[in-house]
Amino acid sequence: MTKKQKKMLARILVAAVLMIGLHFVPVSGAARFLLYMIPYLTVGYDILLKAWKGIRNRQVFDECFLMAVATVGAIALALYEQSGDYTEAIAVMLFYQIGELFQSYAVGKSRRNISELMDIRPDYANIETDGTLTRVDPDEVETGSVIVVQPGEKVPIDGIVVEGNSTLNTSALTGESVPRDAKAGDEIISGCINLTGVLKIQTTKEFGESTVSKILDLVENASSRKSRSEEFISRFARIYTPAVCYAALALAFLPPLVRFLALGLSPDFGTWVYRALTFLVISCPCALVISIPLSFFAGIGGASNAGVLVKGSNYLETLSQTKIVVFDKTGTLTRGVFEVIGIHHNQMEEEQLLEYAALAESASSHPISKSIQKAYGKELDRSRVTEIREISGNGVTARVDGHEVAAGNDKLMDHLGISCIPCHSVGTIIHLAIDGRYAGHIVISDVVKPHSAEAIRALKAAGIRKTVMLSGDIRKVAEKVAEELGLDEVYSELLPADKVEKVEELIGTKKEKEKLAFVGDGINDAPVLGRADIGIAMGAMGSDAAIEAADVVLMDDDPLKIAKAIRISRKCLGIVYQNIVFAIGIKLICLALGAVGLANMWLAIFADVGVMVIAVLNAVRALFVKNL
């Protein structure tokens, strides 16, 4: 508990002890009144001050005003009737403060869940100068600088490991508890905690543009984007509170006047004022005003803890209504890196074929060339290669160990007049010819992510009606991936503008209350992310433009998190609707009972504070998302 919460708890305990103890003190009159005011003011002085400030600032109608009127009215009524019963007024204020303490603790728990994410903010960066480490502010580190991260320290800025091996704790970013290995050449994002070895990292971004800064900015601004439910509750409270105040005023004076003027009976103001005060306590909208924003706040906190960043409660609400999920292929369902998946040779050993291809491609930085060199896996002796010539759009020719080697596509083979054997495998085919004779071919493909198929199954289990994939790749490759993953529809050979048109077309086919989500990672996905009802970006390796345009960011690029994000949003919205129905239903029943005199102040306390505590405890459930 915070210092402020402990102080409030102490005030509540002191007031409760005094209220109970005064029952055994045989005093009456002014002395009794003064003694009972001690626990009343102990627990309620801040509410009275807030109510007075509201009146002075002409912002009268809030829960503090209702509590002040109800309790001061109850005390005035006890004085008028000379009953000396001030317990109800103290109890109303006491239980209201207990409810406020519950609410404060629940909000604090939600904030702590998000503040765990805030712990990723680095305090410093280590720069090595003349063999010694100097701590500097991360904002002062320029792009391209080499920083040193020691065991136990946070990675302050995105970069590439240039020296060292270690394992990284990424749980604050991704929600994944298993440490990840890092070695020279690996990309590394800020916010991770270095666990074992010393790493030297060459920065690729400034601190303000790094992953950790963007995450913190997203979380800090999330609460500013309100959902329709929150906006409705805010508007409801602005109309509802003045309405019940005027209704209570009418209840206090109209029935007694009717009794006196029309029926000639005693007006009995005391009874009707008591009913009006009870009516006021019952009508206090705390349960709705507090629990609905808290539910969304807890939902965003729980999602953040699971590695899913939701930029606002409005997006959480939209995500819960998603029925169509559209995927980009490369980098989203596939890894976005090419790998050799097959070597088909013609009277030559596989290893030798791959060696010739790797040497011929050794001067190229093209991803396909890199994938062949990676598959070879050995250090290349560039001195063995001469006369390298790259033919744009076709491939390369080179002299390797005195042999003429050509590596490329069908067009290159046609250009050289070499007959090649067609390949029925799906992927990019690199044909190889040595000394004018066909030697075989290598099949290269973008590899499907390990959890992609499971992610599609999880989405369908979560009630997603249609899964679609959009790709700029050739039809054969796109259809093979779609078939492997079990997608409902696939569209291939699309330019970025074509993807926007296709998403608009799909939006036109959905039902009225259904929402369409688009999942992408590349810079060319930004227009589509912005056009969809809800845009989901792959955060860890996704482009800055995609993350900026998206409404939801998955921190570990795992498509399986999409289904989890949808389940989190639906749980959160379910809690919101439960609280709305429960709070309004109980209050309407108790208001009716209070108006006809069947509810006393103790039932009013339950209708106000009891309902608020139950609603707050229900809202806190949105934090717990691990088993979803």
Side-chain angles (χ1 to χ4, degrees), residues 16-39:
V17 170
L18 288 173
M19 184 181 72
I20 295 168
L22 286 173
H23 277 286
F24 305 99
V25 179
V27 293
S28 59
R32 183 178 178 84
F33 168 75
L34 291 173
L35 284 173
Y36 270 90
M37 288 305 98
I38 295 172

Side-chain angles (χ1 to χ4, degrees), residues 132-439:
T132 60
L133 293 182
T134 306
R135 289 187 177 184
V136 299
D137 192 302
D139 281 315
E140 298 175 6
V141 179
E142 296 180 358
T143 303
S145 302
V146 175
I147 58 175
V148 179
V149 183
Q150 301 180 100
E153 293 182 334
K154 301 183 187 77
V155 177
I157 306 170
D158 296 5
I160 296 172
V161 178
V162 293
E163 186 181 318
N165 293 281
S166 184
T167 53
L168 303 173
N169 179 352
T170 64
S171 59
L173 293 171
T174 65
E176 177 59 55
S177 58
V178 179
R180 294 186 178 182
D181 293 329
K183 61 184 184 301
D186 289 349
E187 287 188 19
I188 191 168
I189 57 175
S190 50
C192 303
I193 298 173
N194 186 19
L195 296 178
T196 52
V198 176
L199 294 175
K200 289 188 177 181
I201 300 167
Q202 185 173 35
T203 61
T204 54
K205 296 178 182 177
E206 293 181 353
F207 176 68
E209 296 298 317
S210 63
T211 301
V212 66
S213 293
K214 289 184 177 295
I215 293 169
L216 295 172
D217 182 60
L218 293 182
V219 175
E220 285 164 359
N221 293 323
S223 60
S224 64
R225 298 179 177 95
K226 303 293 184 184
S227 68
R228 286 195 300 262
S229 301
E230 286 178 288
E231 289 174 350
F232 163 74
I233 293 301
S234 297
R235 291 195 301 269
F236 174 81
R238 284 197 297 268
I239 298 168
Y240 170 83
T241 307
V244 296
C245 286
Y246 293 129
L249 194 64
L251 185 63
F253 294 104
L254 289 181
L257 291 173
V258 170
R259 279 172 58 91
F260 178 70
L261 297 174
L263 303 175
L265 299 173
S266 168
D268 194 13
F269 279 106
T271 298
W272 290 100
V273 167
Y274 182 81
R275 289 185 185 182
L277 295 174
T278 303
F279 186 90
L280 273 181
V281 175
I282 294 169
S283 65
C284 188
C286 302
L288 289 173
V289 173
I290 291 170
S291 69
I292 305 310
L294 177 61
S295 300
F296 282 110
F297 190 71
I300 291 171
S304 298
N305 205 34
V308 179
L309 297 184
V310 184
K311 291 186 179 180
S313 51
N314 55 331
Y315 302 126
L316 203 64
E317 190 169 39
T318 303
L319 189 63
S320 71
Q321 300 166 345
T322 299
K323 288 294 181 181
I324 302 172
V325 179
V326 182
F327 294 90
D328 174 56
K329 179 180 79 71
T330 306
T332 303
L333 294 173
T334 63
R335 289 181 179 172
V337 291
F338 290 96
E339 289 187 10
V340 172
I341 62 169
I343 301 172
H344 304 155
H345 53 89
N346 184 20
Q347 297 180 344
M348 179 179 278
E349 293 293 330
E350 280 188 13
E351 187 175 351
Q352 188 178 8
L353 183 76
L354 190 59
E355 182 182 16
Y356 275 121
L359 286 164
E361 298 276 7
S362 61
S364 175
S365 59
H366 192 280
I368 289 176
S369 301
K370 291 291 185 185
S371 66
I372 293 173
Q373 295 168 41
K374 182 180 177 182
Y376 178 58
K378 298 177 184 177
E379 190 173 345
L380 295 171
D381 183 0
R382 296 280 294 275
S383 65
R384 296 168 58 188
V385 189
T386 58
E387 300 177 23
I388 297 173
R389 186 166 67 96
E390 189 165 346
I391 303 171
S392 181
N394 290 347
V396 298
T397 61
R399 182 173 290 274
V400 179
D401 295 337
H403 297 283
E404 290 287 341
V405 177
N409 54 23
D410 294 357
K411 294 177 183 177
L412 180 64
M413 295 297 109
D414 291 341
H415 176 73
L416 297 175
I418 297 170
S419 177
C420 60
I421 298 172
C423 181
H424 299 290
S425 299
V426 177
T428 301
I429 311 301
I430 302 298
H431 297 284
L432 205 71
I434 300 173
D435 293 329
R437 296 181 60 187
Y438 188 71

